[in-house]
Amino acid sequence: MGLICQSLLSFAFCEPTLKKNFEKERERMISSQLVARGIKDVKVLGAMKKIHRHVFVPENMLSHAYSDEPLPIGEGQTISQPYIVAYMTEVLALLGEDRVLEIGTGSGYQTAILAEIAKQVFTVELVGALSHRAQETLKKLKYTNIIYKIGDGTFGWDKRAPFDAIMVTAAPDKIPHSLEEQLKIGGRMIIPVGSAFQELVLVTRGKKKFKRKKLLPVRFVPLVTTH
Ligand code: SAH
C-alpha cells in the first residue's frame, strides 16, 4: 500500500493511498479458479492477469474483487464470476484480428478482457449510468479499440455487422435470430439462454446453417427487451 505525505518532515500527515495492487489475489484467482478448472488459452490467461478486476467493482466490494463469484455493480446488475468471463472468452477462440460485439457492457470488465485480445470491440449497454461509468474506467486504462453504444442490444448492432464473434452477458428466453444473422460465416456467439434454468450456448455460423451447442448451466441477469 502506498503513502501520500503532505510534509517530508513528519509522518503525522502520511495517509494510505489505498492503491493496493492485489497482485497476489489475482495470481491466486488465475491458478485456483481458472487454470485448475481447465482454462488453457494463454491469451485469455494473460488478459485475466493483466486486467485489474478491482478497478471495475464498487468500493465496498473491493475486498471481494478476486472472489470466485459474481458481484453487484449497481442498478441491480452484476459483474460476472471470473471463471465465467474466462470461459466465455476462451470458447470464442479469438485470434487477434477479430471484430467482436458484446451485449451488456455492465462494469466494462469483460469488455477490457475482449479488448486485450480482439482487434475491435463494439459494446452495447441498456443502462446509461452503467455505460458511462464503464466508459470512464476503460478510458482511464487508455483503450482505443472499444466503441460504445447505449441502447437495447437484443437485435445487435446492424450498422457495424457482421462480426467474427458475439458475446452476450445477459440471458434472453431464446436466442434472438437477429444476433445470429450478424455473425460472419465461421463466426461464433456465446450466449446464456433461459429464465429460471439457463445454459450457455455456443452458436457457430456455417455456410448453410447455424450449429448450436449447449455448454454449461449458468445464472445471468435477464436480457431486457424494450421493443
Ligand atoms: N459483462 C458485464 C456483465 C454485466 S451484467 C461485466 O463484466 O460487468 C449484464 C448487463 O447487461 C447489465 O449491465 C444489463 O444492464 C445489460 N443488459 C440487459 N439487457 C440488455 C439489453 N437488451 N441490451 C444491452 N444491455 C443489456
Side-chain angles (χ1 to χ4, degrees):
M1 196 181 285
L3 292 172
I4 292 179
C5 300
Q6 293 185 349
S7 156
L8 290 174
L9 301 173
S10 163
F11 280 105
F13 299 102
C14 290
E15 280 176 24
T17 59
L18 293 174
K19 286 260 164 66
K20 184 169 150 81
N21 191 280
F22 294 95
E23 187 106 29
K24 280 208 184 86
E25 288 85 346
R26 217 162 24 254
E27 291 281 349
R28 213 174 305 134
M29 170 190 90
I30 305 267
S31 58
S32 67
Q33 300 175 34
L34 311 186
V35 177
R37 291 184 188 140
I39 303 294
K40 288 191 183 73
D41 187 327
V42 289
K43 294 191 290 318
V44 176
L45 292 170
M48 297 290 292
K49 189 168 170 183
K50 178 173 170 190
I51 307 300
H52 293 184
R53 192 171 191 256
H54 65 270
V55 304
F56 295 89
V57 308
E59 214 154 311
N60 62 342
M61 285 287 145
L62 264 187
S63 60
H64 297 277
Y66 295 92
S67 326
D68 192 11
E69 59 188 349
L71 298 171
I73 54 171
E75 313 286 336
Q77 305 303 326
T78 55
I79 177 173
S80 307
Q81 179 190 8
Y83 172 69
I84 294 294
V85 171
Y87 181 85
M88 291 175 76
T89 312
E90 187 171 71
V91 297
L92 288 179
L94 302 173
L95 297 171
E97 285 304 305
D98 335 70
R99 297 171 77 251
V100 180
L101 173 67
E102 180 193 36
I103 307 298
T105 315
S107 68
Y109 177 63
Q110 174 75 74
T111 319
I113 300 290
L114 291 170
E116 282 293 321
I117 303 172
K119 187 171 176 193
Q120 257 187 329
V121 182
F122 300 86
T123 185
V124 186
E125 170 56 53
L126 185 63
V127 181
L130 288 177
S131 178
H132 289 135
R133 201 190 309 147
Q135 290 187 41
E136 226 171 85
T137 312
L138 292 162
K139 277 177 186 151
K140 276 191 207 142
L141 297 174
K142 309 252 187 299
Y143 286 102
T144 53
N145 60 341
I146 304 174
I147 296 136
Y148 305 89
K149 183 175 170 182
I150 297 172
D152 184 350
T154 309
F155 304 103
W157 196 338
D158 216 8
K159 283 200 180 113
R160 302 291 194 158
F163 302 98
D164 298 285
I166 300 179
M167 180 182 292
V168 185
T169 65
D173 286 341
K174 57 182 181 44
I175 303 175
H177 194 56
S178 44
L179 283 180
E180 293 185 326
E181 290 292 349
Q182 292 181 13
L183 282 174
K184 285 185 188 166
I185 308 288
R188 286 91 48 216
M189 168 161 73
I190 184 75
I191 181 167
V193 186
S195 43
F197 176 77
Q198 299 171 5
E199 274 178 311
L200 272 182
V201 178
L202 178 66
V203 180
T204 310
R205 181 168 199 175
K207 277 210 181 95
K208 293 213 176 103
K209 50 183 183 179
F210 294 92
K211 208 172 85 191
R212 302 178 187 90
K213 187 177 173 198
K214 291 176 180 170
L215 297 177
L216 77 157
V218 283
R219 191 100 198 93
F220 275 83
V221 296
L223 185 77
V224 179
T225 299
T226 56
H227 51 275

